[in-house]
Amino acid sequence: MVAHFVAVLFTGFIIYTASPGSSLFSWHPTLMAVSFCFLMFEGILIFSPHSSLIGFKNRSTKVTWHWVMLLIAFTSAAGGIIIIYYNKTLNNKPHFTSWHGLVGIITVVYFMFQLCAGVIVKYPRLLPTFKLVDLRLYHATSGLVVFLMICFTLFLSLYSNWFCKNITGTSWYACVGCIGLMATMITNQVTSAYLPRLQKRMQQKIRPPI
């Protein structure tokens, strides 16, 4: 339950600080927090053997909830990108000049490709040259990379003008801690589920024939 508490607390704090509706820009951190800190995080936790809120459901149901939440997360993130782009255009400011903006747009594009790859995993007949077990391994590994990139983008956002102006002191360090915890939880979940399988398969491949 700690994972869900962190997700809700961090997302709620960002939304409270942004005060959505107070300005056009306020929707950018709001939508990004909802997308990445809550929907995507919870969408991945669905497969956690310890933290899933629907752990009692079968895998098919978990997969459905997973792709629905990730699709909504991408839609929210895309909305956040459109808003910040439009806001900068209105204020005659250059686009994607900061590390936060540059890494952020790369991450969202990568997220889009990850969603497309998820379709192949759900319907493996679209790529019959690969086994389903391999597709799941590649998808999970790539998903971990996406989430770590998201965490890095969130960390860079802590140094943005808006964030430094509104959040300082202990609250700033608490946000760093939340991002670190989320990255650690997802990394541990994915590696615990797939690393033993990968090691076993590697051992089978290098085992000399009898």
Side-chain angles (χ1 to χ4, degrees), residues 27-148:
W27 290 105
H28 174 69
T30 297
L31 290 174
M32 290 306 190
V34 171
S35 172
F36 296 136
C37 302
F38 183 71
L39 289 172
M40 186 174 188
F41 183 67
E42 291 290 344
I44 297 174
L45 281 182
I46 283 177
F47 296 108
S48 172
H50 309 293
S51 302
S52 177
L53 294 176
I54 57 171
F56 57 94
K57 296 289 186 178
N58 57 42
R59 182 174 179 82
S60 178
T61 301
K62 292 179 181 179
V63 168
T64 299
W65 275 97
H66 174 73
W67 72 258
V68 168
M69 293 185 72
L70 270 290
L71 183 59
I72 298 174
F74 176 76
T75 304
S76 179
I81 292 291
I82 293 172
I83 285 173
I84 192 61
Y85 189 92
Y86 182 60
N87 186 66
K88 286 199 171 188
T89 299
L90 289 178
N91 292 280
N92 295 316
K93 293 183 178 181
H95 303 284
F96 311 119
T97 55
S98 67
W99 280 109
H100 169 63
L102 184 59
V103 175
I105 189 63
I106 292 174
T107 300
V108 172
V109 172
Y110 188 5
F111 184 15
M112 179 182 66
F113 284 108
Q114 175 69 3
L115 285 177
C116 295
V119 175
I120 297 176
V121 178
K122 185 172 176 60
Y123 303 101
R125 292 183 179 180
L126 295 174
L127 199 63
T129 54
F130 289 90
K131 296 181 180 179
L132 179 58
V133 64
D134 291 330
L135 291 175
R136 287 178 177 174
L137 174 61
Y138 301 149
H139 184 63
T141 304
S142 179
L144 175 59
V145 173
V146 172
F147 192 78
L148 291 179

Side-chain angles (χ1 to χ4, degrees), residues 14 23 46 85 92 140-141 161 172 184:
I14 297 299
S23 65
I46 283 177
Y85 189 92
N92 295 316
T141 304
N161 293 331
W172 190 91
T184 301

